[in-house]
Amino acid sequence: MTLFEDATAGPLTLEQFVRALPKVELHCHLFGAVRRQTFSALSARAGHPVSEAEIEAFYTRGEKPVGVLRVLRALDAALIRQPDDLRRLAYEYLEDAHAHGVAYSEFFWNPTGTVRVSGIAYEQAQDAIVAGIVEAERDFGIIGRLIPSIDREASPDEAVAMVQWMLAHRAPQVLGIGMDYRENDRPPELFEQAYRLAREAGLKTTAHAGEFGMPWNNVATAIDLLQVDRVDHGYTIVDNPALLQRCIARGLVFTVVPTNSYYLRTLAPQRWAQDHPIRQMLAAGLRLHPNTDDPTLHLVTPTGAWLMMLQLGASVDDLKGFMLNGLDAAWMDEALRLRWRTQWSAQFDALRQRLQA
């Protein structure tokens, strides 16, 4: 029996319904999905370079939560020391995602930090993560795919080097590139050469843009210059109605994150759900897909992220659209996409009938 089958066929609460929905996840960072106990174990092995008090703070989300980038840097700098660490993180993340109805995930990993800071060669690191992907599919049935992601706080030359590493060590589970870390003062155009190299080699592309309240220009540059296949975050697109309408007409999918730290910090709690740009993006008709981003650090699951979309103006029936948007935006085999579109639509309808009023 799978997560999507229930012999009792009884009524479902809203949370049970959302958890049972078949999903893809397209916007999750491997280091942002580290389990609390795994982080502690890695720190203990390394002689506790990160104190238990600091670790506890990493996994605590207050009313005005701090960002998680410092946590990700701590992993590179002090805790990730051998390829098997990466295998473990990938396997555990995919196990956790599967428990919330995720059947397919494309997740981010930043090779620059692993190679330059952790001191693990690219090919060894990639092989370890792929091993975790293979083991998770064997054990849970979830399909995992890897997106090496440019560290935009590093130099454009490092971005090119990352793509070159990928091309020298091609693997079928590694489909394309992304770009993340702090967007401030690091506009997308700095990394045009790396994106061009990736596209010319047949790799797919996405990029974080418009995440930290940065202007809509960054979203436009990611779309027009980097020629991304989808956009991660992209919230400030709402400040340019013409660009918004162009993306709607094109059917471009935006992978959004309801728990985005920037807006939780900058919006008043009583106004968060009303003022978050995701509400405006949804109301305008932009194709959205909800994701966890850094699930353990955000204290959110795929179920929780999808439920939060209801606070931002989505209806229960909009969740079917999110489900199909995820399939359309995924870099999966076309035959699998078409098969799942049919199967998942039927599963949604069957589960919807069991949802309690």
Side-chain angles (χ1 to χ4, degrees):
M1 183 176 295
T2 71
L3 185 65
F4 314 126
E5 298 170 343
D6 185 349
T8 64
L12 298 171
T13 66
L14 181 59
E15 182 173 357
Q16 289 171 330
F17 166 74
V18 173
R19 183 169 184 146
L21 291 178
K23 310 172 188 70
V24 303
E25 180 148 87
L26 303 176
H27 186 156
C28 182
H29 301 270
L30 180 61
F31 283 10
V34 179
R35 292 173 178 172
R36 169 70 171 79
Q37 59 269 36
T38 299
F39 200 110
S40 291
L42 292 174
S43 182
R45 185 192 65 187
H48 298 284
V50 184
S51 71
E52 280 299 311
E54 289 176 291
I55 295 172
E56 184 61 33
F58 290 161
Y59 288 86
T60 300
R61 299 284 286 180
E63 183 178 285
K64 295 292 185 182
V66 298
V68 300
L69 300 187
R70 62 194 176 106
V71 189
L72 312 186
R73 295 298 190 195
L75 283 159
D76 271 328
L79 304 187
I80 301 298
R81 283 296 170 263
Q82 56 196 34
D84 193 65
D85 297 339
L86 297 166
R87 181 207 58 79
R88 175 182 179 178
L89 299 190
Y91 181 89
E92 290 180 350
Y93 156 62
L94 291 169
E95 180 182 14
D96 292 344
H98 171 261
H100 285 270
V102 176
Y104 175 98
S105 172
E106 295 172 5
F107 60 93
F108 297 112
W109 158 61
N110 293 93
T112 300
T114 298
V115 174
R116 305 301 190 203
V117 181
S118 299
I120 303 172
Y122 177 86
E123 60 270 29
Q124 294 177 326
Q126 178 180 270
D127 287 350
I129 296 172
V130 167
I133 288 171
V134 171
E135 292 170 12
E137 183 169 2
R138 176 199 65 200
D139 292 347
F140 312 115
I142 184 172
I143 298 173
R145 295 294 182 258
L146 180 61
I147 306 177
S149 196
I150 291 167
D151 180 348
R152 70 197 312 159
E153 294 180 26
S155 72
D157 287 343
E158 288 284 19
V160 171
M162 187 201 82
V163 177
Q164 290 171 335
W165 296 336
M166 294 174 65
L167 299 183
H169 304 282
R170 297 294 290 263
Q173 296 87 355
V174 184
L175 305 179
I177 67 168
M179 179 166 61
D180 50 43
Y181 275 111
R182 283 185 61 82
E183 189 179 355
N184 310 64
D185 303 319
R186 306 299 290 170
E189 55 265 30
L190 292 175
F191 305 95
E192 192 274 335
Q193 183 181 356
Y195 273 81
R196 184 174 67 251
L197 180 62
R199 291 196 315 272
E200 290 174 351
L203 294 171
K204 295 290 189 177
T205 61
T206 187
H208 286 43
E211 177 182 5
F212 296 96
M214 293 295 99
W216 61 263
N217 308 64
N218 284 1
V219 182
T221 302
I223 294 168
D224 296 328
L225 181 64
L226 304 188
Q227 300 179 35
V228 295
D229 298 295
R230 61 180 186 245
V231 176
D232 303 313
H233 296 294
Y235 310 118
T236 49
I237 193 174
V238 299
D239 297 329
N240 185 323
L243 177 63
L244 178 67
Q245 290 302 317
R246 182 154 62 90
C247 291
I248 292 170
R250 177 177 161 183
L252 194 65
V253 174
F254 285 63
T255 67
V256 295
V257 177
T259 52
N260 179 270
S261 298
Y262 173 81
Y263 290 101
L264 287 178
R265 287 197 309 273
T266 58
L267 295 176
Q270 64 272 21
R271 292 292 309 174
W272 169 83
Q274 287 70 41
D275 296 341
H276 199 297
I278 289 177
R279 178 179 287 272
Q280 300 174 58
M281 297 164 82
L282 179 65
L286 200 64
R287 296 188 73 187
L288 304 183
H289 181 255
N291 295 266
T292 59
D293 202 1
D294 300 292
T296 56
L297 299 174
H298 284 186
L299 298 185
V300 71
T301 63
T303 300
W306 283 57
L307 283 169
M308 289 177 74
M309 295 296 287
L310 302 177
Q311 299 179 55
L312 296 168
S315 69
V316 169
D317 291 321
D318 285 331
L319 301 183
K320 186 175 187 179
F322 300 155
M323 181 181 72
L324 298 177
N325 289 344
L327 284 174
D328 289 346
W331 301 335
M332 64 173 56
D333 175 77
E334 188 63 23
L336 178 62
R337 186 196 329 277
L338 293 175
R339 182 166 72 252
W340 276 0
R341 279 186 65 92
T342 299
Q343 293 175 351
W344 290 15
S345 293
Q347 288 171 344
F348 182 97
D349 294 343
L351 291 167
R352 181 73 172 88
Q353 291 181 351
R354 294 168 53 195
L355 180 62
Q356 294 175 342

